[in-house]
Amino acid sequence: VSSRFGRVFQIATFGESHGGAVGVVVDGCPPRLAITPEEIQRDLDRRRPGQSRLTTPRQEADRVEILSGVFEGRTLGTPIALLVRNEDARPQAYEGMKDVFRPSHADFTTEAKYGIRNWQGGGRASARETVGRVAAAAIARKLLREVAGVEVLAWVRRVHEVEAKIDPGAVTLAQVESNPVRCPEPGAAAEMIQRIDAARARGDSLGGVVECVARNVPPGLGEPVFHKLEADLAAAL
Amino acid sequence: VSSRFGRVFQIATFGESHGGAVGVVVDGCPPRLAITPEEIQRDLDRRRPGQSRLTTPRQEADRVEILSGVFEGRTLGTPIALLVRNEDARPQAYEGMKDVFRPSHADFTTEAKYGIRNWQGGGRASARETVGRVAAAAIARKLLREVAGVEVLAWVRRVHEVEAKIDPGAVTLAQVESNPVRCPEPGAAAEMIQRIDAARARGDSLGGVVECVARNVPPGLGEPVFHKLEADLAAAL
Amino acid sequence: VSSRFGRVFQIATFGESHGGAVGVVVDGCPPRLAITPEEIQRDLDRRRPGQSRLTTPRQEADRVEILSGVFEGRTLGTPIALLVRNEDARPQAYEGMKDVFRPSHADFTTEAKYGIRNWQGGGRASARETVGRVAAAAIARKLLREVAGVEVLAWVRRVHEVEAKIDPGAVTLAQVESNPVRCPEPGAAAEMIQRIDAARARGDSLGGVVECVARNVPPGLGEPVFHKLEADLAAAL
Amino acid sequence: VSSRFGRVFQIATFGESHGGAVGVVVDGCPPRLAITPEEIQRDLDRRRPGQSRLTTPRQEADRVEILSGVFEGRTLGTPIALLVRNEDARPQAYEGMKDVFRPSHADFTTEAKYGIRNWQGGGRASARETVGRVAAAAIARKLLREVAGVEVLAWVRRVHEVEAKIDPGAVTLAQVESNPVRCPEPGAAAEMIQRIDAARARGDSLGGVVECVARNVPPGLGEPVFHKLEADLAAAL
């Protein structure tokens, strides 16, 4: 089953790029974890397009609604369903792609596998599918912090040829959030922005490297043979 | 993970009796199956309380919304999310139960297992949790019929001491639907209704027997050792 | 996957009735549980045919070998592989069944599902497949007792029309083991044995009822929606 | 569960480095696939240590035994259990490590996670655990070739600084097998062997790069969101 991930804390994402909504159902979250819509919204706002000129021009508020699993501000131990309506779904914007396969959007493989084309903006193979992951991860992050003091933090280390000098042990969330490319080194960040703007002006985009650190991870996480922590992280990426 | 069922056609239900909504995400449904909201609604209407004086007095329209997975009237092969808003969620109606354990609603075991009480109407241990199952089953039923010609039909065979004489090979859906107790034999149905009304007048309820038949089942379904068809059906009940 | 059962303490049985061996791999057993081959052997001896004239005449010592997962008398937390060689596998005894479908041995469904016949004694649909279950259960039983003080005990309550009067709360293992039909009430046991002998003399067999009790079960076991304890027990039977 | 891999063709490996045996149970292999012990043995012989002076000096014949699942030269569709006895298990050779943590053998994490040490040669975190994988993979490879014409081939592309020039589309198994480092380019292979010998003389070892190609892979394999083919391959590595 393709849209499920995890074995204890298990998520099931749903939603096409231009359908009615995207979201996620989290099953296996322990009861009595304090969680508010605002905490989830904060991470969705970080994901949201339209924050700066550097990303996709799509404009959506992406307001999350908790449909179930939370009662009086705490999880119940029951499935947590999170819903985000698609607002800027303009199928007509994709009319021209009805007969064209876009690169990197799985258009060809989707047709080969399912015999059907959801030509409106990539279907599941869209950055919009990550809304569900981000919403579920906001809960997972809170849980990891409350239960084990684990902190997970990621940032942009490199864009094209611009590589920032970063000490992974010292980076703070505030530093990461201080600029739209989310590179904690201000000098490198400025140059990255410049390069992205230039590429955009040429009708191009740039690759990069995201770096991630998990702090206070207890020893022994992961399984010893097939589901090693490294294996699951590799699969997740 | 408690709210997932199935391995290929896998469902994940969510929603408490008196939260914002109930629903289901179906993962693993093949693409290109024609399905309309009306077909799902028809089965939800059969489940819906308030159809007759014989059941719970709760009044809800239970309108289903397809959030994802269906495009131009056909499944995409992606997760199908179905949502039904809770409309008649009157938490105040349950105020008196805040400190009382109701029988047959898992109130005690829920508190023992999760250390939390969702005293508003039973949480997950509510007939309302079946909304997600019924909605997903409407799709499963369509799929079984289209792909393999399988027809599944159930009816009330017995209420308390009234047992209907029924030929399982000949019963039709129209016969089952012809009366509010859904017993295909009119004489027995009339007596069942009478008995239920009498029990209700005494402030009581009655047990019964539901019978089910699956027609045109191909040989070889189910697994040979642990997931025999009988075992999965037994677990489902 | 058909021969796997369980989600945390997971077993995988293998072996045909008349192949080289039967056995099981247990994955998910916690480390540091003391277990000896003798403890497993004791349960296999209870299962073993040829203990009395009442069961199948097959004669096998069924010696279990621990291939892995136990070191210096304690589990390692790694998979525990248990092996029992088939000794009394006389394929020639089944020559006459090469072209005959035996009832209750899944001969027909196996051919329908797999397109192949393992005509030597039923393949997987043989009482011999239970060797792996019994061996794994001996470990599970030890674990349940050590960790939670749970005791599971089963006995024959009824054979055909002979029903024993039994107090499930008071039965002991010694009472169950005191006769070959394993009915803890001596009077009923004697009559059951007489009936079975008579049926055997007629070339017939008799049905019966097995009753099981689990003591000291902590509240909250099982999942609240789809994998309720009752559902998993129903499937297991 | 840590030692299970795969969802349809599912394997369960077992066995410690210095226990009684290592092996695997394959569940989900279709029936009627022709397979012989020799085909499995061939791959185990390629894995076997002691083939040349370049690898571990351990000497074991590693004879595979098919315990179940194969009848008259064809798979039955039932679990296939494969067993390889440990012959060169010399626990005394590891006596000196009883109180020492070896690097890269998970000694520390095993103790942290399980609270137990299997100091005899690494337990599960040993190259010997791969015996089960290789044996199961021999069946998987046969199945892929018979059913879909898929061919999977791997070789050593690089050892330390020596990189071979290889055309992945043209490499043959015979070329890979032509030398003990299994690099299909003879010149590079010779230099690799020289470097390894030199490192070994210094009491050191060398890293390298293995390259793998899968030919005739049908489009659409893998899942679209979480279990993409790339994700599963990444996890497997």
Side-chain angles (χ1 to χ4, degrees), chain C residues 1-4 6-16 19-22 25-28 30-32 65-72 74-81 83 85 98 110 113-120 124, chain D residues 1-4 6-16 19-22 25-28 30-32 65-72 74-81 83 85 98 110 113-120 124:
Chain C
V1 178
S2 68
S3 294
R4 309 277 151 104
R7 281 175 296 167
V8 174
F9 186 98
Q10 193 183 18
I11 73 171
T13 67
F14 63 85
E16 287 77 47
V22 291
V25 180
V26 176
D27 205 354
R32 283 171 293 161
E65 182 185 4
I66 300 179
L67 295 174
S68 69
V70 177
F71 180 60
E72 299 179 338
R74 291 189 176 270
T75 58
L76 285 164
T78 61
I80 304 169
L83 180 71
R85 295 276 172 186
K98 229 171 161 171
T110 300
K113 191 179 180 70
Y114 297 105
I116 201 167
R117 276 201 72 192
N118 181 8
W119 45 268
Q120 297 181 334
R124 293 286 285 165
Chain D
V1 178
S2 69
S3 294
R4 309 277 151 103
R7 282 176 296 168
V8 175
F9 186 98
Q10 193 183 19
I11 72 171
T13 67
F14 63 85
E16 288 76 47
V22 291
V25 180
V26 176
D27 205 353
R32 284 171 292 161
E65 183 186 2
I66 301 179
L67 295 173
S68 68
V70 178
F71 179 60
E72 300 179 338
R74 293 190 176 268
T75 58
L76 284 164
T78 62
I80 305 169
L83 180 71
R85 296 274 172 186
K98 227 170 162 171
T110 301
K113 191 178 180 72
Y114 296 105
I116 201 167
R117 277 201 71 193
N118 181 8
W119 45 268
Q120 297 181 334
R124 292 287 285 164

Side-chain angles (χ1 to χ4, degrees), chain D residues 24-189:
Chain D
V24 68
V25 180
V26 176
D27 205 353
C29 181
R32 284 171 292 161
L33 178 74
I35 191 87
T36 64
E38 289 71 30
E39 288 170 295
I40 300 168
Q41 192 63 51
R42 202 178 304 144
D43 279 2
L44 286 174
D45 288 345
R46 293 184 69 207
R47 191 214 76 89
R48 190 165 53 84
Q51 296 180 72
S52 75
R53 68 182 182 279
L54 301 180
T55 59
T56 160
R58 189 165 172 157
Q59 288 288 353
E60 273 169 292
D62 278 354
R63 303 306 305 177
V64 69
E65 183 186 2
I66 301 179
L67 295 173
S68 68
V70 178
F71 179 60
E72 300 179 338
R74 293 190 176 268
T75 58
L76 284 164
T78 62
I80 305 169
L82 304 175
L83 180 71
V84 172
R85 296 274 172 186
N86 287 331
E87 296 171 358
D88 190 19
R90 298 161 301 175
Q92 67 282 7
Y94 292 86
E95 274 286 338
M97 289 165 191
K98 227 170 162 171
D99 305 306
V100 181
F101 288 128
R102 293 193 300 167
S104 298
H105 279 73
D107 288 2
F108 172 74
T109 38
T110 301
E111 180 148 335
K113 191 178 180 72
Y114 296 105
I116 201 167
R117 277 201 71 193
N118 181 8
W119 45 268
Q120 297 181 334
R124 292 287 285 164
S126 157
R128 197 141 182 82
E129 185 271 327
T130 61
V131 166
R133 303 189 191 197
V134 168
I139 300 174
R141 177 163 27 191
K142 181 82 183 280
L143 182 64
L144 285 171
R145 196 177 68 213
E146 298 289 306
V147 169
V150 172
E151 184 195 20
V152 179
L153 192 60
W155 54 86
V156 171
R157 180 180 197 93
R158 182 171 171 167
V159 167
H160 199 223
E161 291 166 334
V162 185
E163 179 145 8
K165 281 192 184 11
I166 295 166
D167 173 6
V171 180
T172 66
L173 178 60
Q175 291 169 349
V176 176
E177 291 294 275
S178 65
N179 59 70
V181 275
R182 275 157 186 145
C183 170
E185 194 205 320

Side-chain angles (χ1 to χ4, degrees), chain A residues 14-16 19-21 83 85, chain B residues 24 33-41 44 63-71 73-76 78-84 135 139:
Chain A
F14 62 85
E16 287 76 46
L83 181 71
R85 295 277 174 187
Chain B
V24 69
L33 177 75
I35 191 87
T36 64
E38 290 70 30
E39 288 171 295
I40 301 168
Q41 192 63 51
L44 286 174
R63 303 304 305 176
V64 69
E65 182 186 3
I66 300 178
L67 295 173
S68 69
V70 178
F71 179 61
R74 291 189 176 268
T75 58
L76 284 164
T78 62
I80 305 169
L82 305 174
L83 181 71
V84 172
I139 300 174

Side-chain angles (χ1 to χ4, degrees), chain B residues 147-189:
Chain B
V147 170
V150 171
E151 185 195 20
V152 178
L153 191 60
W155 55 85
V156 170
R157 180 179 196 93
R158 182 170 170 167
V159 167
H160 200 223
E161 291 166 333
V162 186
E163 179 146 7
K165 280 191 186 10
I166 295 165
D167 172 5
V171 180
T172 66
L173 177 60
Q175 290 170 349
V176 175
E177 292 294 275
S178 66
N179 60 69
V181 276
R182 281 165 181 134
C183 170
E185 193 205 320

